[in-house]
Amino acid sequence: MPVFKTPFNGYSVKFSPFYESRLAVATAQNFGILGNGRLHVLSLSPAPSSPLTELISFDTADGIYDLAWSESHDSLLIAAAADGSVKLYDTALPPTQNPLRSLQEHTREVHSVDYNPTRRDSFITASWDDTIKLWTLDRPASIRTFKEHAYCVYSAAWNPRHTDVFASASGDCTVRIWDVREPGSTMIIPGHDFEILCCDWNKYDDCIIATASVDKSIKVWDVRSFRAPISVLNGHGYAVRKVKFSPHHRNLMVSCSYDMSVCMWDFMVEDALVGRYDHHTEFAVGVDMSVLVDGLMASTGWDELVYVWQHGTDPRAP
């Protein structure tokens, strides 16, 4: 299966919503603690045994923790940086003409960026400064700052159907649901007893959200009645870093963890763990599923490797 070696530690990987053979990887030097970053744009070969090839890369003075492809421009990437900046890149232009813009408002590391899939002109960023910010492509300053969390916001994700609704996951052990038309959060879910590192919405049921925590579990919630989760997924040995619902199957989701594994789950069945991949040799911190190709997965980690594979096959198979 295709693999790519990055010079720095992998942090995030995302498939392009426009090209089924394209993906981007965010990396940071020295495990993101101090040092440079690099954004890689990679291409999959038609031959499944061929390695991933690099189309272009962009160097940054600080680590890059997350990235998002634009849903409106096929060559536009947004990067979340360790210096608190949010950078916009045009992958069709050479590195000397990038970044197009660097938005400097967050006062601490930006840990997450998510592009609005329905409105397609706006994106949100989540930061260790305890805030989430809303931006549009055409404005040099953020439109709004959402400040309620009592600790780092690790992740923010747009609802796939409701244009104005997003969720945020925080180290204060809560997930908050927001509507950008409302002055404050519309719902607070005290989801875990430990830090919540990630959240994601189900792509087929806009009331279902998953949370991933330092407590090693993933919980699935229905926001219409969130006193108790509808499912609790146990199987990871350490903190769960990312969780992502399948774009193709209502009940499937993928996760990655500090236990170095990537897991596939069906949250509606009793034996929820339907696949486990142990190909990484360090923390697995980035995972994605292709919107364009059913079952195509990608992961990256602190072992400086990016893997792309079809669910049900061995990521390390030649």
Side-chain angles (χ1 to χ4, degrees):
M1 290 287 129
V3 65
F4 182 81
K5 174 81 168 69
T6 57
F8 303 152
N9 307 110
Y11 261 81
S12 182
V13 60
K14 302 276 176 74
F15 284 102
S16 163
F18 292 97
Y19 303 106
E20 60 183 51
S21 62
R22 190 170 298 178
L23 62 160
V25 184
T27 69
Q29 203 172 12
N30 303 318
F31 308 100
I33 295 163
L34 193 67
N36 307 126
R38 188 172 291 171
L39 194 58
H40 301 266
V41 181
L42 307 177
S43 180
L44 273 166
S45 158
S49 58
S50 301
L52 293 159
T53 54
E54 184 176 86
L55 299 175
I56 196 167
S57 67
F58 304 102
D59 288 313
T60 54
D62 296 87
I64 303 177
Y65 289 160
D66 196 19
L67 62 96
W69 288 98
S70 164
E71 297 277 352
S72 57
H73 302 75
D74 64 355
S75 61
L76 194 65
L77 269 176
I78 302 162
D83 65 350
S85 70
V86 180
K87 298 182 191 299
L88 276 61
Y89 291 90
D90 188 337
T91 62
L93 296 175
T96 51
Q97 293 178 39
N98 274 290
L100 301 179
R101 194 177 293 163
S102 185
L103 308 166
Q104 188 82 51
E105 285 189 26
H106 284 296
T107 56
R108 287 200 60 196
E109 292 86 339
V110 186
H111 206 250
S112 157
V113 57
D114 194 43
Y115 204 92
N116 193 315
T118 49
R119 181 165 278 158
R120 300 190 176 190
D121 66 345
S122 55
F123 58 94
I124 43 176
T125 54
S127 169
W128 293 1
D129 66 9
D130 310 350
T131 71
I132 307 109
K133 287 180 181 283
L134 171 66
W135 314 78
T136 56
L137 288 179
D138 55 353
R139 286 175 58 162
S142 65
I143 291 174
R144 187 169 162 201
T145 300
F146 303 85
K147 185 166 175 53
E148 279 184 27
H149 282 294
Y151 195 59
C152 300
V153 189
Y154 293 117
S155 163
W158 289 106
N159 186 285
R161 187 171 300 165
H162 299 286
T163 303
D164 297 299
V165 176
F166 69 89
S168 57
S170 168
D172 66 10
C173 309
T174 69
V175 162
R176 286 171 192 258
I177 313 294
W178 311 77
D179 185 316
V180 298
R181 298 163 298 188
E182 301 292 336
S185 65
T186 56
M187 194 178 298
I188 302 168
I189 303 173
H192 298 258
D193 293 331
F194 293 86
E195 291 189 277
I196 304 175
L197 301 182
C198 189
C199 61
D200 193 41
W201 294 94
N202 189 290
K203 307 303 178 256
Y204 292 88
D205 186 332
D206 53 24
C207 291
I208 290 179
I209 190 168
T211 55
S213 171
V214 170
D215 69 12
K216 305 184 275 195
S217 78
I218 299 158
K219 294 183 182 180
V220 184
W221 310 83
D222 187 323
V223 297
R224 292 164 295 198
S225 58
F226 60 86
R227 279 162 191 75
I230 57 175
S231 183
V232 180
L233 310 176
N234 291 303
H236 280 299
Y238 289 100
V240 186
R241 180 60 181 267
K242 296 257 173 76
V243 62
K244 186 106 181 181
F245 276 103
S246 166
H248 297 278
H249 303 278
R250 180 192 180 275
N251 298 345
L252 289 185
M253 66 172 89
V254 67
S255 62
C256 63
S257 164
Y258 291 140
D259 68 7
M260 304 188 257
S261 75
V262 173
C263 288
M264 179 77 85
W265 310 84
D266 181 334
F267 70 90
M268 292 300 284
V269 299
E270 195 170 343
D271 293 326
L273 184 61
V274 294
R276 184 183 176 99
Y277 302 95
D278 290 304
H279 50 289
H280 284 290
T281 57
E282 270 288 352
F283 293 169
V285 296
V287 69
D288 196 25
M289 302 174 85
S290 170
V291 172
L292 302 175
V293 183
D294 188 0
L296 192 65
M297 302 168 65
S299 67
T300 190
W302 284 10
D303 54 7
E304 303 173 356
L305 291 169
V306 182
Y307 289 90
V308 179
W309 75 101
Q310 187 68 29
H311 174 53
T313 65
D314 182 354
R316 282 180 294 206

